[in-house]
Amino acid sequence: MGHMSRCQLASISVGTLCLVATVAWAGDGSLGFVDLMQFRQIEDVVISHDGSWVAYALAPDRGDGEVVVRSTAGEVEHRIERGAAPEISADGRWVVAEVIPTLEEREKNEDDDDPPRPGLAILDLVSGQEERLDAVESFALSADGRWLAYHRFENDEESGEENDCGETAPTQEQREDEENEREIGSDLVLRDLGGGSELTMAHVVDFVFAESAPLLAVTISAPEGEGNGVQVHDLRDEEPVLVTLHTDTGEHATHPTWADEAEHVAFVVAGDDEGEPAADAEVWTWTGSGAARRVASKADAPEGFTVPSVNELQWSRDGARLFFGFKPAAETDTAVATATATATGKETATATATEDPFDPYDPDAILADREVDVWHWKDPRIIPNQKERWSEHDKDRVYRAVVHLDDGKVVPLADLDLPEVEPTDNPRFALGRSDLPYLRELTWDGRFADLFAVDLQTGERSLFAARIAGGWRSPSASLSPDGKHALYYHDGDWRLYSTIEGTTRNLTADLPVSFADEDWDYPADPPGYGSSEWADHSQWVVIYDKYDMWLVDVLDGELQNLTRGVGRDEEIVFRVVDLDSESELIDPTRPFFVEGYHDRLKHDAFYAHTGRDGAVKLFGDGNHRLEFVGKAEDNETIVFTRERYSEFPDLWVSNLDLEDPARLTDVNPQIGDYAWGSAELVEWATDDGTELQGVLITPDGRKPGERVPVLVYYYRFFSHRLHLFNEPVVNHRPSFPVYASHGYAVFLPDIRFQVGRPGPSAVQCLTSGIEHLVAIGVADPEAVGLHGHSWSGYQTAYVVTQTDVFAAAVAGAPVSNMTSAYSGIRLGTGLARQFQYEKSQSRIGGSLWEVPELYIENSPVFFADEIDTPLLIQFGDEDEAVPWQQGIELYLACRRLDKDCIMLQYRGEPHHLKKTANKLDYSIKMKQFFDHHLKGEPAPGWMTDGVPYRGE
């Protein structure tokens, strides 16, 4: 199999056989796993409307976090102990945050039916005073920032004890009986943050503030139905004004939904049918004055459909149209009756109130307990995929319709033949999607869909693109704001469809650059690079090639290179930065804010695109990665992060001109206490001339020419991590600074694959990379370790069957036998694995029957007899991505062949370990494994003697 020995590698650079360089490490500044757990990550960053305040959560890998609120001038700071998910009121006066129970409380009660409940913190930014409330399930702030609504958990007091409203709480038994019939609401408190007054509303199920005005909609569900309905609290005056939109003791309202730019609210009303929502519901709207009115019911539905109580409501932004869903009317399931009749030769009797005497030979009674799934070869989706989709997608699936509020016209848009139609803000057309013709192919060929333009006035649909790879769920199809054009990517080019004229233009066919992924190495059609948002006047949109940005004029179809080819010439990937996450439009009157990533040197910069001068660099020193976080709503204050391998991505604040950016946070100052190591870019070529890059992290204090043990960690392309701070957590991956601080070099090479040769491609890229590290005097050729997980776990398992370069290898969740894995099921999605081998990550390029030799040639288990590298395999036995039996196959092969192989089975764990104890155990064992084989440290007992099973 073409093995390359470690001695051969050593002779490349040092001219001696099997030279072993030892590393003396004093231990000062070494980073341990306990240290790692105490590093904190920045989460949930929010900026006040005026840009004066930034709030964010600090979450350690293990322990209790906090919320920090800082003025962007850097002069004032507040902290909320155990805070999370902060929000800043629109007036910039208040910060409200969830309060998480302590880690001790959570872990002590993690198996209880009644875990500790979160609370709420209210911080006054003027006085600095904080108030805490217990047992708060959720909260929201009004559009003007004056009002806070917080929802209490359901009252657990015993009967006879009064709640805040002076009402007697039901017993637990009464409550359980009532909940079996219907959902009962709990207390919602509405607080005037400035004045301090509160209003408590009982039995609230749902609540939502309007975005356009301080209006609060609530739905009420009481034990006896008293007061059930929908209310709006108008909060614009000094005292709230209550408007009752709908009330009926025998009905329940759900899904209160406001329009973004209008004081319009919609909701669904359903009757009570013996404890269950009635099959037929109604959709109601209220437009800010007068009475609410019913706008859709079963009478408006197509034949065989109804309005379900579980629905999806969405307004157009202007509130002129409301999208909702129809659903096929409930039908009697005849499957059991048909099967029974077939088995017994008679019709199934209708059950009566009188219980029949027990008959041990009654087929009907016996078959009533059967548990069977019928897998038919013509099923559009295989049964496991149907099961995984049922609760989240199919059980409550609705088929989109729209009601036009001006004339009350209801137009069905989707149906069983066109299952998906997306809501839109324009009054003309919506995009429809159907993957129905290609569902069987999903098993082996991937995702495809047909695209339709759907007329919002008539419901008529026009097919304008067939068999589009990936459907429209990738960023490759979008509708212009005025609905006149649809932009989509297909077969390597961008195309523009006119919904008015019904014509299509190929926009990019004559351009000299590729709009398909130039680095694509899968046996499937390459995707495009995507597009930005549309201009709000709908005349143009921006699309991308690998490097540059192109402006598409939809009127004449002309394209203009906005970055003037600078991206391709200088290998800079330019992309528009979305300054407003709530808007899907670009303001054409303002310069673009652009990020530029240097594809070869791996650093970022921010640019402004003015139109006249192309992209003008504003900020970036060539040594960092940058990430835009957000912009203040009322001015040009922005927040972003800056990072490199040894610099945590702290928050920075500036204006859009980036004239004087300032670092706002220093979250993990302890970084300076550890020997973090330093990262550099390395480049080399394989024997066939393939040019590769990688990141080399070397330990602090290493002298020039000193050889050190090397840990290789990889997947596909990893050189982009040059200036990325390694996430400081304990998980299934090796922590780079932990290893660097203990004297290791860490190598992150790129892997470029050939179709049909994923295993040999990995061997070629990895061994050539190690040759390079030996040649430049970094790697000790006797002390190189390899680690991979999932796809790179497979590569690791394969590589050690082909070369003895590595002194030890760890393979997490590897596929070891492509022939047995090919027709398996991905348990997380219920999808067959065939498509993954034929078209996707495994890159074989054909079926098991077309190219059986490739499945065998790329499977580690068939070459297990060639393994001479100590191998550690890790699997969770509830892995939802790779069947853990794949690990068993490789382990049993190695065991039979008397190879040095250990498998760690983590009970009840998925593809990536979740439990802290297991993550820490694996991290420790992984490092012990490498320390022994790469540094000669004593092997622990679990490696030398195993660990006998002694029961749980």
Side-chain angles (χ1 to χ4, degrees):
M1 290 297 172
H3 290 19
M4 181 183 295
S5 73
R6 301 186 194 104
C7 296
Q8 287 174 319
L9 279 175
S11 66
I12 292 173
S13 61
V14 299
T16 60
L17 293 180
C18 294
L19 176 65
V20 179
T22 59
V23 178
W25 190 255
D28 293 338
S30 60
L31 180 67
F33 296 117
V34 173
D35 303 316
L36 207 61
M37 292 178 186
Q38 298 174 55
F39 278 80
R40 300 185 295 178
Q41 305 275 49
I42 297 175
E43 299 177 351
D44 302 324
V45 181
V46 290
I47 309 168
S48 64
H49 285 200
D50 65 359
S52 296
W53 295 95
V54 174
Y56 50 92
L58 295 181
D61 185 39
R62 179 172 172 78
D64 297 325
E66 63 179 339
V67 161
V68 179
V69 186
R70 289 181 62 89
S71 65
T72 51
E75 300 171 349
V76 182
E77 178 181 278
H78 303 284
R79 294 178 179 264
I80 300 174
E81 183 181 358
R82 292 184 285 111
E87 292 188 18
I88 304 177
S89 62
D91 58 6
R93 168 76 185 272
W94 306 91
V95 173
V96 186
E98 182 180 1
V99 176
I100 305 296
T102 66
L103 174 64
E104 181 179 8
E105 291 171 330
R106 299 196 305 272
E107 293 203 340
K108 282 184 177 179
N109 297 278
E110 63 183 352
D111 297 326
D112 292 353
D113 294 333
D114 188 21
R117 292 172 169 176
L120 184 69
I122 305 170
L123 174 66
D124 185 341
L125 291 176
V126 173
S127 67
Q129 293 186 339
E130 177 190 323
E131 178 185 359
R132 294 201 166 210
L133 303 169
D134 295 329
V136 175
E137 186 173 13
S138 58
F139 65 89
L141 289 162
S142 64
D144 61 356
R146 175 185 168 190
W147 298 91
L148 166 69
Y150 59 93
H151 206 184
R152 292 284 193 183
F153 281 96
E154 191 176 334
N155 194 336
D156 286 335
E157 300 298 330
E158 293 299 324
S159 178
E161 189 165 329
E162 293 185 345
N163 61 21
D164 293 341
C165 302
E167 299 171 334
T168 301
T171 66
Q172 183 66 25
E173 182 178 357
Q174 291 171 330
R175 187 177 302 108
E176 289 175 355
D177 290 341
E178 290 157 357
E179 288 178 350
N180 287 335
E181 296 181 358
R182 62 179 70 89
E183 182 178 11
I184 304 300
S186 58
D187 287 349
L188 179 75
V189 181
L190 181 63
R191 174 182 290 196
D192 182 344
L193 288 171
S197 61
E198 289 189 342
L199 170 66
T200 300
M201 292 165 267
H203 308 308
V204 172
V205 176
D206 299 311
F207 70 102
V208 60
F209 279 111
E211 292 190 19
S212 60
L215 299 166
L216 175 69
V218 300
T219 60
I220 307 294
S221 181
E224 301 299 328
E226 188 66 34
N228 280 8
V230 183
Q231 300 172 351
V232 166
H233 295 260
D234 189 333
L235 309 174
R236 286 173 287 200
D237 296 328
E238 281 300 313
E239 296 295 328
V241 176
L242 173 64
V243 181
T244 299
L245 306 187
H246 186 89
T247 183
D248 192 312
T249 58
E251 293 183 333
H252 298 274
T254 58
H255 305 295
T257 306
W258 290 97
D260 289 338
E261 298 175 355
E263 297 172 13
H264 297 178
V265 68
F267 52 93
V268 176
V269 175
D272 192 301
D273 184 7
E274 297 183 356
E276 297 293 335
D280 304 324
E282 300 171 341
V283 178
W284 288 65
T285 62
W286 181 69
T287 56
S289 62
R293 64 188 180 100
R294 182 178 59 210
V295 295
S297 66
K298 184 177 182 179
D300 302 295
E303 184 176 356
F305 281 73
T306 189
V307 176
S309 59
V310 179
N311 217 301
E312 296 177 9
L313 305 185
Q314 184 171 330
W315 290 92
S316 60
R317 293 190 70 86
D318 60 6
R321 292 164 301 285
L322 174 67
F323 296 88
F324 66 98
F326 289 125
K327 188 176 184 178
E331 297 178 354
T332 301
D333 185 2
T334 60
V336 172
T338 301
T340 302
T342 302
T344 63
K346 63 181 181 180
E347 296 294 331
T348 303
T350 303
T352 63
T354 303
E355 185 174 341
D356 294 330
F358 175 72
D359 180 354
Y361 307 108
D362 181 357
D364 294 348
I366 297 171
L367 288 172
D369 293 330
R370 63 186 171 182
E371 297 176 347
V372 60
D373 296 322
V374 178
W375 295 40
H376 196 280
W377 71 281
K378 288 186 177 181
D379 286 341
R381 296 183 184 272
I382 60 175
I383 291 294
N385 187 223
Q386 294 179 41
K387 288 183 177 180
E388 288 299 323
R389 289 175 52 88
W390 174 250
S391 296
E392 185 174 348
H393 297 283
D394 297 332
K395 177 175 177 287
D396 295 318
R397 173 192 284 274
V398 295
Y399 295 85
R400 195 82 65 185
V402 64
V403 55
H404 299 266
L405 262 64
D406 57 354
D407 58 10
K409 182 180 181 182
V410 175
V411 183
L413 303 174
D415 57 25
L416 297 177
D417 296 322
L418 180 61
E420 296 183 28
V421 175
E422 286 294 299
T424 183
D425 288 327
N426 82 83
R428 298 169 178 262
F429 290 94
L431 277 177
R433 174 187 184 273
S434 176
D435 57 3
L436 297 180
Y438 316 108
L439 285 180
R440 289 189 71 242
E441 297 177 49
L442 181 64
T443 300
W444 61 84
D445 209 10
R447 300 179 183 275
F448 299 92
D450 296 335
L451 301 182
F452 296 82
V454 183
D455 192 311
L456 295 180
Q457 295 294 329
T458 66
E460 294 180 1
R461 57 193 64 159
S462 301
L463 172 68
F464 66 84
R467 196 177 170 79
I468 303 299
W472 68 358
R473 295 187 183 236
S474 62
S476 52
S478 62
L479 199 62
S480 62
D482 61 9
K484 293 181 179 180
H485 295 90
L487 178 75
Y488 65 99
Y489 172 88
H490 178 51
D491 197 22
D493 285 306
W494 284 93
R495 301 155 198 267
L496 192 68
Y497 172 74
S498 170
T499 59
I500 305 301
E501 300 175 0
T503 57
T504 301
R505 286 180 288 185
N506 188 322
L507 298 170
T508 56
D510 298 329
L511 292 177
V513 299
S514 173
F515 286 83
D517 189 333
E518 298 178 23
D519 297 307
W520 194 248
D521 56 8
Y522 301 89
D525 293 336
Y529 287 101
S531 63
S532 78
E533 297 157 328
W534 287 78
D536 61 8
H537 55 32
S538 295
Q539 186 174 338
W540 52 257
V541 66
V542 175
I543 61 175
Y544 304 125
D545 67 21
K546 180 176 180 178
Y547 298 105
D548 291 302
M549 309 188 308
W550 297 76
L551 185 73
V552 179
D553 189 320
V554 301
L555 298 182
D556 55 22
E558 290 188 4
L559 275 75
Q560 174 188 348
N561 191 322
L562 288 173
T563 39
R564 304 183 181 183
V566 171
R568 187 164 294 274
D569 290 344
E570 300 185 10
E571 298 181 88
I572 300 174
V573 179
F574 288 111
R575 296 295 184 260
V576 174
V577 175
D578 182 7
L579 295 178
D580 184 357
S581 60
E582 295 186 0
S583 173
E584 298 179 356
L585 306 175
I586 294 176
D587 183 352
T589 66
R590 302 182 61 178
F592 296 158
F593 192 61
V594 175
E595 180 183 14
Y597 167 69
H598 200 294
D599 189 49
R600 186 173 66 84
L601 300 180
K602 319 302 177 185
H603 58 74
D604 283 330
F606 288 138
Y607 296 76
H609 187 280
T610 62
R612 181 182 67 255
D613 300 317
V616 178
K617 186 175 177 180
L618 301 175
F619 181 75
D621 61 7
N623 295 307
H624 292 86
R625 293 294 297 271
L626 307 172
E627 183 176 351
F628 175 80
V629 174
K631 174 185 170 296
E633 187 170 317
D634 297 336
N635 60 33
E636 294 192 343
T637 301
I638 64 169
V639 174
F640 63 94
T641 62
R642 192 186 82 167
E643 65 183 301
R644 60 183 312 186
Y645 168 70
S646 57
E647 179 181 327
F648 179 80
D650 276 299
L651 299 178
W652 287 61
V653 63
S654 181
N655 56 23
L656 276 176
D657 293 331
L658 287 155
E659 296 170 342
D660 189 22
R663 181 173 170 176
L664 188 65
T665 66
D666 186 11
V667 169
N668 292 301
Q670 71 270 36
I671 290 174
D673 298 335
Y674 301 104
W676 211 260
S678 57
E680 62 182 283
L681 188 68
V682 293
E683 298 178 310
W684 72 99
T686 64
D687 291 341
D688 64 4
T690 301
E691 295 183 354
L692 295 171
Q693 293 181 303
V695 178
L696 176 63
I697 300 166
T698 52
D700 294 341
R702 173 185 167 271
K703 299 172 183 174
E706 181 183 9
R707 296 185 179 277
V708 295
V710 176
L711 174 61
V712 182
Y713 179 66
Y714 67 113
Y715 197 85
R716 186 193 178 205
F717 297 153
F718 264 17
S719 59
H720 68 279
R721 296 192 177 200
L722 173 64
H723 293 307
L724 293 180
F725 185 81
N726 186 228
E727 185 181 23
V729 296
V730 175
N731 59 19
H732 62 281
R733 304 179 180 92
S735 170
F736 308 157
V738 165
Y739 281 83
S741 73
H742 285 83
Y744 287 84
V746 180
F747 183 42
L748 315 175
D750 286 344
I751 309 294
R752 290 188 178 271
F753 295 98
Q754 300 174 25
V755 171
R757 292 172 50 82
S761 298
V763 173
Q764 181 185 49
C765 296
L766 289 169
T767 56
S768 63
I770 299 305
E771 288 177 14
H772 179 70
L773 297 190
V774 171
I776 62 176
V778 172
D780 172 0
E782 291 289 329
V784 180
L786 184 65
H787 176 276
H789 187 87
S790 193
W791 173 236
S792 57
Y794 152 73
Q795 295 174 68
T796 296
Y798 180 85
V799 166
V800 297
T801 71
Q802 307 295 306
T803 178
D804 297 337
V805 164
F806 299 99
V810 176
V815 166
S816 63
N817 185 349
M818 290 190 174
T819 68
S820 61
Y822 171 76
S823 286
I825 300 294
R826 292 182 65 93
L827 299 180
T829 61
L831 292 172
R833 299 176 58 83
Q834 293 171 345
F835 78 92
Q836 181 174 329
Y837 292 89
E838 296 189 38
K839 295 291 186 179
S840 185
Q841 188 177 64
S842 298
R843 297 173 172 86
I844 296 299
S847 73
L848 182 60
W849 306 277
E850 294 169 325
V851 286
E853 69 281 1
L854 294 183
Y855 284 83
I856 293 173
E857 290 170 8
N858 286 279
S859 293
V861 74
F862 291 105
F863 309 104
D865 59 326
E866 300 286 346
I867 297 176
D868 292 323
T869 303
L871 179 64
L872 179 65
I873 303 168
Q874 178 267 319
F875 254 107
D877 60 16
E878 293 184 6
D879 193 312
E880 75 285 6
V882 179
W884 82 289
Q885 290 81 3
Q886 288 289 311
I888 295 174
E889 286 196 44
L890 185 57
Y891 163 78
L892 289 178
C894 290
R895 186 176 188 272
R896 172 67 178 82
L897 294 163
D898 202 27
K899 301 294 183 179
D900 186 345
C901 177
I902 300 172
M903 187 168 83
L904 304 176
Q905 171 200 344
Y906 287 96
R907 296 187 292 271
E909 287 280 28
H911 191 56
H912 298 133
L913 299 177
K914 299 296 183 185
K915 298 174 184 176
T916 299
N918 291 337
K919 289 189 288 187
L920 180 59
D921 179 79
Y922 181 38
S923 295
I924 292 172
K925 283 184 167 61
M926 186 195 309
K927 189 167 184 302
Q928 290 174 335
F929 183 76
F930 284 127
D931 284 348
H932 173 67
H933 290 293
L934 273 62
K935 300 176 74 174
E937 295 185 5
W942 67 269
M943 285 179 59
T944 58
D945 304 322
V947 181
Y949 180 73
R950 291 290 183 264
E952 296 183 31

